[in-house]
Amino acid sequence: MASSLTVPVNPDLLIWARETAGYDFDLACEKLKCKPEKLQKLEAGEAEPTYPFLNELADLYKRPLAIFFASKPPVKRNKPSDFRLQLDATSHGISPQLNIAIRKAWLMRENFLELSSYGDQPISPFALTATMAEDPEELGPKLRKLFGVSIATQLGWRAEKSGYDEWKKAIENQNVLVLELSRIPLSEMRGIALWEDTLPIIIVNGADSQSARVFTLIHEFAHLLLRQAALCDLAPAEYDSGTAKLEAFCNAVSAATIVPKKELVELVSGRYSERWTMEELAELAKTFSVSKEVILRRLLTVGLTSENYYRLMRIEFIAEYKRLRDKIKDKDGGPSPALMTVRNLGKPFVELVLNSYHDNRIGLSTVSDYLGVRVKHLPKIEALVTR
């Protein structure tokens, strides 16, 4: 009997919840396994949902049930500009999974700011700027100086993970919230920049290799310097457009920052060959703690290979990425929930949450909610961020 009772809700809230979850009307009906006429009447205010169906909506749209009892929808955040260059990606829009992940990123930022407000050191606004009129070859060394990463330090890194961790820490030190995503295909996104003047956000795809993520980090940082919210796939441009020029600029800034022209040219002096072998690229990639694709892209920008050869080799790189991902999938188990929490949310956020708990500002349930894990995983998480 109770299951047939209807609940009065503002129909605008139903539309808002669906759209902010990234579902078009037809896909929502498919996921809910309901007839289009039913959802259409609910969203038009011609019918009221039953309580069980409202629960289904809350579960699909990843919203607390209480939000549907508000008087009106909250203000929508603007989506990041779609700067992806792969035609198949842009034609499909943003998936519900990625859309919800972006929503969660904004929530992490709100939680970070709230917990930081209890301290005596407020977060400084992001004052760094750049324009596309600047030369990436000049901007790159400036960013290295800002990050405090000398070439001697970089060449001293002995592992791919060390390089990624150090670049990530350098960007986090600029009051940027760096997050990673799981279970989002690389074909849909490799990086996202979400602009705010205080605590802007960079999101990288955790499915990518760590060396490739380094390039994405700096690419998205360049978007923040331009005051842009951007969704990127970092694909090479197949046509000339404003978006392609913008992405080419951010790529150039990233390349000039990570692989300085002077040092690269000195290192390959006397070894010019348009057709660099995988072994040669791997050697250079290991030296700079970056991917082989980043090295070849950089060799292209300094005139040490051709555009045609880069495009040819990129097909090989994509196939290699896929083999590596498939190999990881075939392994039993996987990273622990503790490890994934620290990786995806970043040490600064996790440390802030744990410190707030130890200072009796929040309880265990709030810690669990903010970190998205069960309480039983907290000792391992704490061990990871304090080691």
Side-chain angles (χ1 to χ4, degrees), residues 18-195:
R18 175 174 58 77
E19 292 180 344
T20 56
Y23 286 96
D24 62 29
F25 184 85
D26 291 337
L27 183 57
C29 292
E30 179 185 333
K31 293 292 184 180
L32 292 165
K33 297 179 181 179
C34 74
K35 293 181 179 180
E37 295 79 9
K38 177 178 180 179
L39 187 60
Q40 188 174 31
K41 286 184 178 181
L42 292 175
E43 291 189 353
E46 297 171 0
E48 294 178 341
T50 62
Y51 194 82
F53 191 72
L54 195 60
N55 263 311
E56 290 183 41
L57 293 174
D59 184 57
L60 178 64
Y61 300 154
K62 297 296 184 287
R63 292 289 185 183
L65 189 63
I67 198 71
F68 293 101
F69 297 99
S71 59
K72 61 181 181 179
V75 177
K76 284 185 182 179
R77 276 194 177 274
N78 292 329
K79 292 182 179 180
S81 299
D82 194 341
F83 292 143
R84 294 175 297 178
L85 297 175
Q86 297 179 100
L87 292 178
D88 58 337
T90 55
S91 63
H92 288 98
I94 302 177
S95 69
Q97 291 76 15
L98 181 55
N99 198 79
I100 290 170
I102 294 172
R103 262 177 33 201
K104 288 183 177 178
W106 284 118
L107 178 60
M108 293 301 103
R109 176 182 175 273
E110 292 173 11
N111 293 339
F112 196 111
L113 291 174
E114 179 186 357
L115 295 177
S116 297
S117 68
Y118 296 125
D120 54 3
Q121 291 185 328
I123 299 174
S124 301
F126 187 89
L128 307 168
T129 61
T131 70
M132 287 183 62
E134 295 184 57
D135 183 351
E137 295 297 339
E138 295 180 2
L139 188 54
K142 291 179 182 178
L143 292 183
R144 290 187 72 96
K145 185 176 181 180
L146 172 72
F147 296 150
V149 178
S150 68
I151 190 65
T153 298
Q154 183 179 359
L155 297 182
W157 294 333
R158 296 302 178 192
E160 180 181 305
K161 184 179 185 304
S162 298
Y164 175 68
D165 288 345
E166 291 302 321
W167 284 113
K168 183 178 179 181
K169 186 189 303 181
I171 288 180
E172 289 171 334
N173 287 341
Q174 306 308 312
N175 290 329
V176 176
L177 180 60
V178 180
L179 305 171
E180 296 189 34
L181 295 184
S182 302
R183 300 184 180 90
I184 299 294
L186 284 171
S187 58
E188 183 170 14
M189 64 78 67
R190 294 184 88 161
I192 297 172
L194 298 176
W195 168 250

Side-chain angles (χ1 to χ4, degrees), residues 191-232:
I192 297 172
L194 298 176
W195 168 250
E196 278 288 350
D197 58 3
T198 300
L199 199 66
I201 305 168
I202 288 176
I203 307 173
V204 296
N205 196 326
D208 222 344
S209 67
Q210 289 181 319
S211 56
R213 274 178 264 169
V214 171
F215 192 87
T216 302
L217 274 174
I218 311 298
H219 177 103
E220 300 308 330
F221 191 83
H223 277 296
L224 295 182
L225 294 176
L226 297 171
R227 301 294 188 266
Q228 293 172 337
L231 168 62
C232 311

